[in-house]
Amino acid sequence: MLRRRPPAGAFLRLFATSCRRSSLHPSLPYLPDPAALPPPPVAKKVPFTVSAHGSSWSDPYHWMRDTSDPDLAALLAAENTYADAFVGSAGGGGLRARLAAEMRARLPPSVATPPQPWGPWLYYQYVPEGKEYPVLSRKLKPSRGLAQALFDYLSPSEKEQVLLDWNEVAEKNGYVHIGSCRISPDHRFLAYTVDTSGGELFSLEVKDLQSEDVIFSSPDKGIVSLAWARNSETLFYTVCDETLRPNQVFCTKLQSEEAGFLVFTEEDVNCCVDITSTKDFKYMTVNSNTRTSSEVFVMESDNVREGLWPIRKRVDKVQYFLEHHNGFFYILTNAPVNDTEMTTEGYYLARCRAEKSLVDRWQIVAFPGSDCAIQDMDIFQDNLVLFLRMNGTPLFCSINMPIDVDVQEPKELNDLNPWYFPIPSDLCSIIPGSNNDFMSSVYRLVVSSPVIPDLTVDYDLRKRTFTILHQEEGASLSANLGTVGLQSNVSSIQQNLQLVENSQSWSDLSKLFSCKRIEVVSHDGVLIPLVILYSREAHRHGDSPGILYGYGAYGEDLDKNWCSERLSLLSRGWVLAFADVRGGGDLSWHLAGTKTKKINSIQDFAACGMHLIKEGLVHQNRLCAIGCSAGGLLVGAVINMFPDLFSAAVLKVPFLDICNTMLDPNLPLTVLDYEEFGDPNISAEFEAICSYSPYDNLLPGVCYPPVLVTASFNDTRVGIWEAAKWVAKVRDITCTSCSQSVILKTNMQSGHFGEGGRFMHCDETAFEYAFLMKALGLDDITMA
């Protein structure tokens, strides 16, 4: 029941006596030399039976769920030894080190963010030379404008105050992951959460920035979000239950004998709780949400003892995002209009009076208009900033505040005279800066693309001009690079742009690298966006190797930011492609790849891979795949369905044992994932999960490609056993020769997000690239 029915061709392979993949790809020497490597580890089997919906099946590797079992520790150690030997032999033994050296050489000795003004201070982060992690610091703001601020920021004479040094925490504990950092409104206190184990059980500390002493440490573990009240004495935070679901909001008053107290508890196991303050700190908001719906409560920041009052009750597939301005709550929502039962296609902007008795009297401020979707917002004293997507392209605009709205005549966005921010024209990722100052008229964005190193840009919302403050630097990036000025990437809004005369420019690598967005027809005729990146000089049509990246879950967009590490592949002729499959993206695209529709994500990814080969962008025997976390599920499922599509793959902290995990509601995050992958207590949704579960659909005797599986021992999101079980089962039931090239590498100290240091990240990526090059037989090719 749990194993997908193999196609007719695959059925014949079950009885094959020789390795079919080696005959298909005779020129690819990825099969390990038995004399050069130790034998691959063999995991023990312990009888165990799983039952659900009247069916039972054997899972002999279930024992790996006990992470205290010494046999698991011994197995992981043996797997690490085997993985190191496998990759260590690539390129004559030195490829991994050469790749890591290349990547490190591209990094500047130290990096820093431009200072961001907030109140009397300039806040910034930097990574000191030779260090792995950032330092959060500040300097007093001069009174002579931005130019003087930048000069003083660079001047060693201006005294710097170090607020938090990640490196000190890492050196003390061996691991560091800083979760949330929040400066109090009066700039005196810093509240932050820190994880020193990798298990994401964050603790809370509050530092007095005058005395530099830690004045509060929460006894609770599993702190997620933080928010300050306007008085800078009251701090709110959320606490997780045993399944890592943030379900409670607590309040504590610093430097007071008054005991902290519980503000809110969410009993619904399908919901998570988040605490925030409005931008002006006048109200606290509690958002209780599922993956696709939310319920918002508010309370006055100065009267927290009076408790919360609701804005709207939760409705399936309806969300609310709330801010406050001048006596009004501004709300982004897709709630039904005029009490109809149907939700709108996307979000619109509404508002209501910030009074308990009037919050149910909403007026619609603006609909986004055709071909435009509102995704988020930020608010200031004089401006509202909207995050948009127009014709699939990210975009930002600002609207002057306050907004004068005719209650009887809801407007379209363009009727409010928005200023659309000038941005680069090609395939950009846009991430807001901290933008903490409610009184500011400057909005900061970090703009990036696969061919544009990260740009920090300030937009003056009053003057409607912009300033390029900084671009990521790196060795070997300046030669032969053209520059390009800011422009709009949506022709329909050209009339709204007010470009600065003789505007600044930045480094754009589009002369060296081709980066284009196409659409690929999936199995059901839906068009799937695919971004393709390659070197104009090194790419060889029909012969180049390539990597297809995918994720497709939780409504998250696939990361396509600039990454200097990729130059090590691009310069060797590799093609890098990014498939925005269903399950990611906006709400409708997300829902089209969830629950029983998850198969769409998998088929979309396969279609994109086939397109790369069909069009000659990648050689048919040189296509690889990379998926991380839920993206590992995506790639693992495609490998089962199309074992010959990919010639190698990297699965990073992958979600592979989805059927068994979703059947255990006691595991962290499982119940929350019912909305994403399906509830196994519902027969139809259970059948859907079983149909694509990577672990449960491995094909006996079939030749699988080389796969590097990376895992973290302290991972609480995806248990270490998922990777270990999958690798053990591949070695047990698939082609004996091919499965020797399936390896497992486990970080025994870190959690789901790895180590996090910038040099360590180079080392990890070099390991992955060396594996892929070895798997394709390209490990002796240094440069194209």
Side-chain angles (χ1 to χ4, degrees):
M1 175 180 179
L2 292 180
R3 184 163 292 119
R4 184 185 69 84
R5 183 185 299 277
F11 178 79
L12 297 177
R13 295 179 219 155
L14 301 183
F15 304 98
T17 57
S18 62
C19 176
R20 180 175 180 271
R21 180 169 288 273
S22 61
S23 63
L24 281 174
H25 311 298
S27 62
L28 305 184
Y30 64 80
L31 293 178
D33 180 359
L37 294 176
V42 177
K44 73 178 183 181
K45 294 183 179 181
V46 177
F48 187 84
T49 300
V50 185
S51 299
H53 293 280
S55 297
S56 298
W57 61 96
S58 175
D59 185 12
Y61 302 112
H62 177 85
W63 66 269
M64 296 183 188
R65 284 273 301 272
D66 180 5
T67 56
S68 64
D69 190 325
D71 287 344
L72 178 61
L75 174 67
L76 297 178
E79 291 284 5
N80 279 350
T81 299
Y82 185 72
D84 287 337
F86 189 100
V87 174
S89 64
L95 178 60
R96 178 189 179 188
R98 292 198 300 273
L99 289 169
E102 285 179 18
M103 296 173 189
R104 286 174 174 245
R106 295 190 194 101
L107 300 178
S110 62
V111 294
T113 63
Q116 181 137 19
W118 183 19
W121 294 94
L122 296 171
Y123 289 90
Y124 55 95
Q125 292 187 55
Y126 65 93
V127 180
E129 184 170 353
K131 296 292 187 179
E132 292 278 359
Y133 300 101
V135 176
L136 175 63
S137 299
R138 70 182 181 184
K139 291 182 179 181
L140 281 172
K141 183 171 63 176
S143 58
R144 290 176 287 168
L146 178 62
Q148 184 63 39
L150 289 170
F151 176 81
D152 289 345
Y153 159 67
L154 297 171
S155 172
S157 61
E158 186 66 31
K159 184 178 180 182
E160 171 186 84
Q161 182 182 12
V162 173
L163 309 183
L164 182 61
D165 187 341
W166 276 249
N167 298 283
E168 290 183 357
V169 182
E171 289 166 7
K172 179 181 178 180
N173 298 282
Y175 175 88
V176 61
H177 183 181
I178 302 296
S180 299
C181 275
R182 297 289 183 268
I183 301 288
S184 62
D186 65 357
H187 302 271
R188 179 175 175 181
F189 301 106
L190 169 66
Y192 59 94
T193 61
V194 59
D195 169 29
T196 56
S197 70
E200 295 189 68
L201 290 174
F202 290 90
S203 58
L204 166 63
E205 295 185 351
V206 180
K207 184 177 181 181
D208 186 331
L209 299 180
Q210 291 181 1
S211 67
E212 300 191 348
D213 295 326
V214 174
I215 62 170
F216 177 78
S217 295
S218 169
D220 298 300
K221 297 289 185 180
I223 311 295
V224 179
S225 54
L226 310 173
W228 287 99
R230 183 165 56 169
N231 62 16
S232 295
E233 298 175 350
T234 307
L235 179 66
F236 296 82
Y237 56 92
T238 59
V239 179
C240 291
D241 64 11
E242 63 277 1
T243 65
L244 298 187
R245 177 181 68 96
N247 69 319
Q248 292 184 317
V249 179
F250 285 88
C251 173
T252 187
K253 193 168 185 179
L254 303 176
Q255 299 180 312
S256 170
E257 298 298 326
E258 186 177 346
F261 61 94
L262 178 65
V263 175
F264 180 84
T265 299
E266 177 54 77
E267 302 292 349
D268 188 337
V269 295
N270 297 294
C271 296
C272 294
V273 173
D274 187 38
I275 179 71
T276 60
S277 62
T278 56
K279 190 71 167 281
D280 59 6
F281 291 102
K282 291 184 178 179
Y283 291 88
M284 312 304 299
T285 66
V286 173
N287 194 318
S288 177
N289 58 82
T290 67
R291 301 289 189 195
T292 59
S293 62
S294 62
E295 185 175 13
V296 181
F297 304 85
V298 300
M299 60 183 164
E300 294 182 30
S301 179
D302 295 332
N303 296 291
V304 298
R305 287 289 186 179
E306 293 189 5
L308 295 161
W309 27 289
I311 297 296
R312 285 281 175 98
K313 292 291 185 180
R314 183 181 296 111
V315 177
D316 188 35
K317 297 183 177 61
V318 172
Q319 294 183 321
Y320 310 97
F321 305 93
L322 179 146
E323 263 295 353
H324 175 260
H325 185 277
N326 196 27
F328 283 93
F329 289 134
Y330 283 82
I331 305 156
L332 276 187
T333 183
N334 62 333
V337 178
N338 298 327
D339 297 323
T340 63
E341 294 184 0
M342 296 297 294
T343 60
T344 62
E345 183 66 24
Y347 298 109
Y348 59 90
L349 182 65
R351 74 177 182 183
C352 64
R353 286 284 181 183
E355 299 177 27
K356 188 173 183 179
S357 61
L358 300 176
V359 293
D360 60 340
R361 302 179 187 178
W362 286 20
Q363 58 180 170
I364 297 173
V365 176
F367 292 105
S370 60
D371 300 322
C372 181
I374 305 176
Q375 296 188 307
D376 207 343
M377 66 177 173
D378 201 346
I379 204 161
F380 299 85
Q381 176 65 34
D382 297 323
N383 298 92
L384 172 69
V385 176
L386 295 176
F387 310 0
L388 311 172
R389 187 170 291 272
M390 188 174 290
N391 296 322
T393 303
L395 200 63
F396 281 66
C397 76
S398 70
I399 297 167
N400 292 338
M401 297 289 283
I403 298 174
D404 183 18
V405 178
D406 182 344
V407 178
Q408 303 301 320
E409 297 290 337
K411 300 178 182 294
E412 286 200 356
L413 185 58
N414 282 335
D415 296 330
L416 301 179
N417 189 30
W419 176 51
Y420 292 90
F421 293 5
I423 57 175
S425 58
D426 292 322
L427 305 171
C428 277
S429 166
I430 309 176
I431 302 173
S434 54
N435 297 305
N436 289 313
D437 195 343
F438 179 73
M439 302 306 296
S440 178
S441 63
V442 175
Y443 195 78
R444 178 164 297 178
L445 292 175
V446 178
V447 181
S448 181
S449 90
V451 293
I452 300 177
D454 290 5
L455 288 161
T456 303
V457 186
D458 274 359
Y459 293 86
D460 191 312
L461 306 180
R462 290 176 185 161
K463 299 178 181 178
R464 298 194 167 187
T465 60
F466 64 87
T467 302
I468 299 174
L469 297 180
H470 176 264
Q471 180 164 28
E472 179 183 323
E473 298 178 359
S476 305
L477 296 184
S478 59
N480 300 317
L481 299 183
T483 58
V484 63
L486 284 172
Q487 56 184 304
S488 166
N489 59 351
V490 182
S491 59
S492 63
I493 60 169
Q494 287 287 349
Q495 68 272 19
N496 295 306
L497 301 181
Q498 299 180 14
L499 300 180
V500 175
E501 186 176 358
N502 299 319
S503 65
Q504 304 98 107
S505 58
W506 64 76
S507 294
D508 183 339
L509 280 71
S510 60
K511 290 185 177 180
L512 299 179
F513 303 106
S514 171
C515 185
K516 58 185 178 181
R517 179 182 184 273
I518 65 170
E519 293 181 324
V520 175
V521 180
S522 190
H523 67 109
D524 54 358
V526 173
L527 298 179
I528 310 304
L530 180 67
V531 173
I532 302 170
L533 174 67
Y534 58 84
S535 166
R536 297 185 186 277
E537 179 181 355
H539 178 251
R540 299 289 181 265
H541 188 80
D543 195 50
S544 281
I547 297 175
L548 181 63
Y549 295 85
Y551 185 71
Y554 305 114
E556 296 290 336
D557 289 324
L558 187 61
D559 179 14
K560 294 182 282 292
N561 294 338
W562 164 258
C563 177
S564 64
E565 295 167 354
R566 296 181 188 137
L567 296 176
S568 291
L569 293 178
L570 295 169
S571 60
R572 289 170 168 84
W574 287 63
V575 174
L576 306 180
F578 307 86
D580 286 309
V581 302
R582 281 171 281 186
D586 59 27
L587 183 59
S588 60
W589 198 248
H590 172 212
L591 294 176
T594 60
K595 295 187 176 180
T596 57
K597 298 178 182 178
K598 186 62 186 173
I599 192 66
N600 287 334
S601 306
I602 298 162
Q603 294 283 9
D604 293 349
F605 194 71
C608 290
M610 294 174 186
H611 178 87
L612 293 172
I613 293 173
K614 179 182 177 182
E615 297 301 315
L617 289 159
V618 177
H619 188 281
Q620 65 175 347
N621 296 338
R622 293 181 175 179
L623 178 61
C624 306
I626 292 182
C628 180
S629 192
L633 182 155
L634 178 76
V635 176
V638 173
I639 290 174
N640 283 338
M641 293 182 181
F642 306 96
D644 295 329
L645 179 58
F646 298 117
S647 295
V650 177
L651 308 180
K652 304 166 68 171
V653 288
F655 188 21
L656 297 170
D657 191 18
I658 180 173
C659 184
N660 287 312
T661 293
M662 297 299 287
L663 283 170
D664 188 348
N666 296 314
L667 286 174
L669 307 180
T670 290
V671 174
L672 296 177
D673 271 342
Y674 285 175
E675 193 168 3
E676 184 70 24
F677 300 104
D679 183 347
N681 298 300
I682 300 172
S683 180
E685 296 181 7
F686 173 73
E687 292 285 349
I689 293 170
C690 293
S691 71
Y692 63 77
S693 171
Y695 178 71
D696 296 292
N697 286 281
L698 290 169
L699 301 172
V702 170
C703 297
Y704 273 62
V707 180
L708 165 62
V709 184
T710 66
S712 295
F713 188 79
N714 295 320
D715 192 340
T716 53
R717 293 177 182 248
V718 181
I720 174 61
W721 57 85
E722 300 220 8
K725 287 175 64 177
W726 188 87
V727 169
K729 190 172 180 180
V730 168
R731 296 235 187 89
D732 181 34
I733 73 169
T734 70
C735 171
T736 303
S737 298
C738 292
S739 64
Q740 295 179 63
S741 297
V742 174
I743 66 175
L744 173 63
K745 178 71 171 176
T746 303
N747 187 318
M748 300 300 294
Q749 283 77 45
S750 69
H752 192 70
F753 297 103
E755 294 286 355
R758 62 184 190 131
F759 294 120
M760 286 185 285
H761 191 268
C762 289
D763 295 339
E764 292 174 358
T765 304
F767 191 94
E768 296 165 10
Y769 289 1
F771 169 82
L772 294 176
M773 291 179 187
K774 178 180 176 63
L776 299 189
L778 302 175
D779 48 319
D780 290 324
I781 302 176
T782 56
M783 294 290 288

